[in-house]
Amino acid sequence: MIFETERLILRPWKEDDATSLYKYAKDPRVGPIAGWPVHTSVENSREIIKSVLSADETYAVCLKEDNVPIGSIGLIPPAQSHTEAADEEIEIGYWIGVPFWGRGLIPEAVRELQKHAFLDLGCNAMWCGYYDGNERSKRCQEKCGFTYHHTEENKPCVLMGDVRTEHFTYLTKEQWKNNQDKKLVLYIHGKGGSAIESEHYRQFFEGFDVYGFDYKSENPWDAKEEFLAKIKEVTKTYSKIVLVAGSIGAYFSMNAEICDYIEKAYFISPIVNLERLIVDMISRAGTTEGELEDRKVIPVGFGDDLSWEYLQYVRNHRISWNVPTEILYGSNDNLQSIDTMNDFVQKTGAGLTVMEGGEHWFHTEEQMRFLDKWMQELRNEHI
């Protein structure tokens, strides 16, 4: 069988795929953490295709644009399951090449095979597992509706010749059905904002629940924990999460490492380089980094106090953002320059729309009309 999703083709493996398979399976960051050794040559990959990946219900994960494999996904019958699966249950396993991590591609593939397993194959539950330490796989499973079931310790990992701890998650057909149509817009306000602002965006997302996250954190290290906990909580209920965030709320979101849980993001005047903002504030305050290091905190009259701890955290925790993102920016933004925004766009591939004369806070009638038109046009494109 062949399946198509928004971005992917899932199809049977062919021996001609050996070169592409080797390209990604030779990376030591991929196989060992999933329980299989790195591939040593194109010929080795060809043998794996013939002996392992030719199994029923095993599929190459390919981008639609070229139909070339970048990963693999498959359904594992009860007799071969890593845990004690019942007759009408099935297990799913997957991996994807490192260049494609964090783009939500495997969750997209998993959801397609969940539908196949529950509707076409008549399964009533699905298992999935991950070895201790494989946080990426854990996040993928949470995003796809699986919930923790049990842990098995001292399990032989035959292909790697070691013993491991394996955690298992579980999803029933009924749970899957309940989650299918539940979609959420998660709104993150900026400093001084309110969760109530989320109501403004309800008009653009028909069929979505809209939730304004009234977070309490005032610094990025606390926000990281708070934001990640909230995302994990809503993932249990919603199959698709769209993020709308502004100003420091966008920075806190990116710093929280939630890429694997978000389908799409819309940022309004986001803080994308907090280090540069703080350094500019130090200069504006007529002080130096050396003085800030000595005093630890320096009050200023035009914003938050300068904090050495805050600056060091930002420098030591660079954000990495791989979610498909659209940005609205005002040309008169006094917190982030257009050069800063362009640097971020170049690194992440985000789309950028600039309102001439727009400010950091979109609040006037003209600015809000521009924002609404921007959001409506983008939503029409992505529906």
Side-chain angles (χ1 to χ4, degrees), residues 202-379:
R202 190 177 298 277
Q203 60 186 303
F204 305 112
F205 294 91
E206 184 178 355
F208 283 73
D209 289 341
V210 177
Y211 174 78
F213 181 26
D214 192 17
Y215 61 93
K216 307 302 180 185
S217 301
E218 296 184 357
N219 56 60
W221 49 92
D222 290 331
K224 184 173 184 176
E225 295 183 9
E226 186 179 4
F227 279 44
L228 188 55
K230 175 56 67 174
I231 286 290
K232 289 184 177 181
E233 175 188 330
V234 299
T235 297
K236 296 176 182 178
T237 304
Y238 295 94
S239 60
K240 181 176 183 178
I241 301 173
V242 171
L243 177 67
V244 177
S247 193
I248 195 66
Y251 174 83
F252 281 173
S253 299
M254 291 187 287
N255 182 65
E257 299 179 356
I258 60 174
C259 290
D260 290 341
Y261 301 95
I262 305 298
E263 298 285 338
K264 179 77 179 179
Y266 298 88
F267 287 164
I268 302 157
S269 303
I271 300 298
V272 298
N273 190 328
L274 191 50
E275 178 186 3
R276 185 173 298 180
L277 175 58
I278 295 172
V279 170
D280 288 345
M281 289 178 65
I282 291 173
S283 176
R284 183 179 172 191
T287 186
T288 65
E289 288 189 32
E291 184 177 2
L292 181 59
E293 182 178 9
D294 290 339
R295 295 175 59 183
K296 305 306 179 188
V297 176
I298 298 179
V300 296
F302 51 83
D304 293 335
D305 294 346
L306 295 171
S307 164
W308 179 251
E309 180 184 21
Y310 205 123
L311 176 58
Q312 292 309 297
Y313 178 90
V314 169
R315 281 183 170 158
N316 294 326
H317 296 81
R318 304 290 182 182
I319 58 174
S320 177
W321 189 247
N322 299 310
V323 176
T325 300
E326 293 290 343
I327 295 173
L328 177 60
Y329 174 78
S331 65
N332 291 340
D333 192 316
N334 62 345
L335 294 183
Q336 300 275 256
S337 71
I338 186 62
D339 289 340
T340 298
M341 206 60 58
N342 283 330
D343 285 345
F344 179 81
V345 166
Q346 185 174 12
K347 291 176 182 176
T348 63
L352 176 63
T353 300
V354 179
M355 178 185 178
E356 291 300 325
E359 302 170 87
H360 184 75
W361 300 110
F362 276 66
H363 64 286
T364 68
E365 185 175 336
E366 180 185 7
Q367 290 166 0
M368 291 306 295
R369 280 201 305 268
F370 192 98
L371 185 155
D372 290 353
K373 186 172 184 290
W374 169 77
M375 181 66 79
Q376 188 62 61
E377 289 177 351
L378 287 174
R379 284 296 299 148

